[in-house]
Amino acid sequence: MPDRCEVLPGDAVVARRGGGLLWVDAPGSPALVAALHACLGVSGPGADRVLAAVAAQVHSLGSGSASFALVLTDSQGGAGTGVALWSGKGQPAVDGVPVSGQPTEGCSLAAGFPLGGTLYVGPGQAAPSMPPGVAYDLTEGTVPGSGALLHLAAAASAGAAVPPSAPAQPSSFTAGSDAGFAGPSSFGAAPSYTPGGSSAASSAPSRADEGEETAFWKPDSASAPVLRFDDGLVVTVDEDLVLGRRPDSHELVTAGNARPVPIADTQNVLSSAHAAIQRQGREVTLTDLGSLNGTHVAGPEATEWTQLEPGVAHPLSDGDRLLLGWTVITYEQPQE
């Protein structure tokens, strides 16, 4: 039985990669979210020193209202230990018991604590279980969420199996200010995510032992096209999108005709509303919105980038690569 990570929808961000699990609520602090997100790939000896270095930068990277809880797990050799960093309202917990840490640069840091049957990241105390019908199983990636509860496979196999919560047909919900993760460090303002794909109950029987998959970034063959960012994030193109540093104020977004996908831009190379992804039937187009540094595209086999003319829609094909500032995105169509 694989690890099962239940995510409760909400207005913050939950991310999972490898042995890392992150909850963060940091409106207006994309650099901090980027730094925390980058830590998800850290493992092995020295992970605590990496988190200590991040703790020293939290004050300069984020606002005073930023809250987060980041846990890196290591289960190799049956060790089952974790390293955690948290601040503000964030609090990791093992089997419902808050992890104890040492004060570090205004944060709390814990290293080498034993893992149990469940691991929680989020604000305050962990709920004993997620409410049925609202939890999604996160296998890998980044989604909006108000907390996450990870059921550890090693612990589950030692005792009774953890029953999955009853799947329900998911509905659309709106993410909070830093819920993008759309780009090399894409974080920012309030995209509304609509899961694309069927619920776990309709998955093929041959995959039943793999746990549920999250439709946010692993759509099935009937799902919409996706944008796969170079940091591993996948955004479903289930409606028109506006990408940029602060796309919320663009007229397509304010009129309710597009969803904003904010991209963190520490080097100031992106425009507030840089480019638009628009759908007309089965065709998907990319349009530069008069950006300062331009929008570029290249086919799967191309060796050079082609800059788009502002305001002119460019049809996208499967495998096309998009370049916005320093952010590389691959457009992928669903398999027929």
Side-chain angles (χ1 to χ4, degrees), residues 96-110:
V97 179
V99 174
S100 298
Q102 298 294 323
T104 304
E105 302 288 347
C107 303
S108 296
L109 177 66

Side-chain angles (χ1 to χ4, degrees), residues 55-245:
Q57 300 296 320
V58 166
H59 180 73
S60 60
L61 295 177
S63 65
S65 61
S67 296
F68 64 87
L70 169 65
V71 178
L72 306 176
T73 64
D74 183 2
S75 58
Q76 291 186 352
T81 59
V83 179
L85 180 70
W86 64 97
S87 181
K89 297 178 294 183
Q91 175 66 67
V94 173
D95 293 338
V97 179
V99 174
S100 298
Q102 298 294 323
T104 304
E105 302 288 347
C107 303
S108 296
L109 177 66
F113 59 87
L115 301 177
T118 62
L119 173 64
Y120 169 84
V121 293
Q125 298 292 327
S129 63
M130 294 293 182
V134 296
Y136 299 93
D137 182 19
L138 175 59
T139 55
E140 182 171 343
T142 305
V143 294
S146 61
L149 187 66
L150 176 64
H151 298 273
L152 297 167
S157 62
V162 178
S165 58
Q169 200 69 336
S171 59
S172 177
F173 58 93
T174 299
S177 344
D178 275 318
F181 277 77
S185 347
S186 54
F187 326 84
S192 173
Y193 289 80
T194 303
S198 58
S199 65
S202 61
S203 298
S206 63
R207 302 172 66 176
D209 59 347
E210 298 180 12
E212 298 177 38
E213 291 194 358
T214 306
F216 293 108
W217 61 90
K218 288 191 174 182
D220 60 25
S221 58
S223 298
V226 298
L227 300 177
R228 188 175 300 277
F229 287 75
D230 54 3
D231 69 344
L233 167 75
V234 180
V235 173
T236 303
V237 186
D238 50 6
E239 58 182 314
D240 291 354
L241 308 173
V242 175
L243 294 79
R245 183 162 40 88

Side-chain angles (χ1 to χ4, degrees), residues 215-283:
F216 293 108
W217 61 90
K218 288 191 174 182
D220 60 25
S221 58
S223 298
V226 298
L227 300 177
R228 188 175 300 277
F229 287 75
D230 54 3
D231 69 344
L233 167 75
V234 180
V235 173
T236 303
V237 186
D238 50 6
E239 58 182 314
D240 291 354
L241 308 173
V242 175
L243 294 79
R245 183 162 40 88
R246 295 178 180 174
D248 303 73
S249 59
H250 190 269
E251 58 185 14
L252 288 174
V253 177
T254 57
N257 296 324
R259 185 173 84 226
V261 178
I263 302 175
D265 180 29
T266 58
Q267 301 188 35
N268 295 321
V269 293
L270 287 175
S271 296
S272 294
H274 198 100
I277 299 288
Q278 295 173 297
R279 300 186 61 175
Q280 287 189 341
R282 295 182 61 85
E283 184 180 70

